[in-house]
Amino acid sequence: MKKRTPPRVRFFTSGEGPHLTPPLARPDDGRREAVMSEHVYKIVQLVGSSPDSMEDAVQRALARASRTIRNLRWFEVVETRGQVKGGSVAHWQVTLKVGFTLDEDEATDT
């Protein structure tokens, strides 16, 4: 039985792993085309942890990052690890790449 992802985190899958932003959009005529914007993104790597679940580890990392990083836009799960105690999962650790858009001032600075 497949576990359902909570609605607050929606995963999309690509060859590079699950992430938040869908890589392709389907226009009204049914053709697939890439979703592009004129944003400049910066990427940071975070590690979230939780004794409860992978999803909770992701939520904790994003919640903490959002306190100091503006304009969070997407994330990609890079690695998942866990600690085993007594034959079962005791703790989850999830490594994320997180993308955020730069403020207009930062994007034009060199």
Side-chain angles (χ1 to χ4, degrees):
M1 177 176 259
K2 189 174 181 180
K3 184 177 178 184
R4 294 185 62 171
T5 303
R8 61 183 183 200
V9 177
R10 187 168 177 198
F11 290 101
F12 296 89
T13 309
S14 70
E16 299 174 2
H19 49 88
L20 184 64
T21 306
L24 300 174
R26 187 175 297 280
D28 291 336
D29 65 1
R31 293 179 300 122
R32 285 183 162 261
E33 62 183 45
V35 175
M36 299 297 245
S37 66
E38 295 184 21
H39 293 292
V40 173
Y41 295 92
K42 182 166 181 104
I43 299 172
V44 296
Q45 196 160 347
L46 305 171
V47 179
S49 63
S50 169
D52 300 322
S53 68
M54 290 185 295
E55 289 87 357
D56 191 47
V58 169
Q59 287 293 340
R60 287 174 186 239
L62 294 174
R64 175 58 186 91
S66 69
R67 292 182 2 212
T68 55
I69 300 173
R70 293 183 311 274
N71 307 321
L72 292 173
R73 300 289 187 225
W74 57 267
F75 72 89
E76 176 183 340
V77 174
V78 178
E79 184 178 24
T80 305
R81 294 183 298 275
Q83 179 184 20
V84 178
K85 283 189 180 174
S88 63
V89 177
H91 206 87
W92 294 93
Q93 206 174 49
V94 180
T95 304
L96 308 171
K97 282 185 186 175
V98 178
F100 59 97
T101 54
L102 297 175
D103 289 338
E104 205 52 42
D105 297 351
E106 295 176 58
T108 56
D109 289 347
T110 54

